[in-house]
């Protein structure tokens, strides 16, 4: 079948776990992509002394849901896109507005383990083999490659 998406990054709230919208995303991933990486987000909400064990447990629960799919062995990484959550992000945004809209003065939000997620993404996605369409170029010239990002 046609492959229209090279990879799916499935973001799962590690604290809340699998939700209805996660299933919907999985169905779309199964239909459109051969590759999937799982980002278990909000792991900063786990107490530091329990974090590694809770991340391991969250991974196991997600992998249980993926049994029977092509993504049963998908890599999973525990991350926090914004340590402290939405309130911290909103406070930083408010600080930027208070500084006259000069966001350069505001420290960026702290993240957790996002660098590892980036490395897993890099290691999981191979450049796809694309067939060039030579029939749509002007006067028999080869058409340029088509790129579309989401």
């Amino acid at each position: 079948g046609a492959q229209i998406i090279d990879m799916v990054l499935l973001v799962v709230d590690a604290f809340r776990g699998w939700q209805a919208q996660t299933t919907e995303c999985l169905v779309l991933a199964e239909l459109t992509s051969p590759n999937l990486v799982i980002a278990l987000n909000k792991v900063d909400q786990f107490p530091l002394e329990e974090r590694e064990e809770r991340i391991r447990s969250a991974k196991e629960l997600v992998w249980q849901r993926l049994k029977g799919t092509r993504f049963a062995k998908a890599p999973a990484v525990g991350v926090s896109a914004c340590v402290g959550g939405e309130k911290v992000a909103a406070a930083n945004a408010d600080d930027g507005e208070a500084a006259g809209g000069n966001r350069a003065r505001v420290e960026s939000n702290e993240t957790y383990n996002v660098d590892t997620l980036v490395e897993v993404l890099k290691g999981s996605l191979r450049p796809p083999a694309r067939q060039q369409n030579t029939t749509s170029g002007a006067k028999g010239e080869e058409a340029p490659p088509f790129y579309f990002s989401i």
Side-chain angles (χ1 to χ4, degrees), residues 42-81:
K42 300 184 182 180
V43 298
D44 62 301
Q45 293 183 9
F46 296 140
L48 190 56
E49 62 278 0
E50 300 173 13
R51 187 169 295 160
E52 290 307 313
E53 177 59 27
R54 300 275 301 266
I55 291 171
R56 189 194 61 68
S57 178
K59 287 179 183 181
E60 292 295 329
L61 291 171
V62 169
W63 288 328
Q64 279 290 112
R65 293 285 194 136
L66 295 176
K67 277 188 177 176
T69 73
R70 74 173 95 185
F71 307 123
K73 297 193 186 289
V77 180
V79 299
S80 286

Side-chain angles (χ1 to χ4, degrees), residues 71-143:
F71 307 123
K73 297 193 186 289
V77 180
V79 299
S80 286
C82 179
V83 173
E86 298 154 352
K87 291 179 182 177
V88 170
N92 284 348
D94 290 344
D95 288 347
E97 290 171 12
N102 184 359
R103 299 217 183 261
R105 294 184 201 173
V106 178
E107 294 294 320
S108 64
N109 294 328
E110 181 185 350
T111 63
Y112 172 82
N113 213 26
V114 172
D115 53 339
T116 301
L117 177 61
V118 169
E119 291 305 312
V120 168
L121 287 167
K122 286 180 184 178
S124 298
L125 183 60
R126 303 290 176 249
R130 301 277 191 228
Q131 292 180 347
Q132 290 292 326
N133 180 356
T134 58
T135 60
S136 63
K139 296 182 184 179
E141 296 174 10
E142 187 172 306

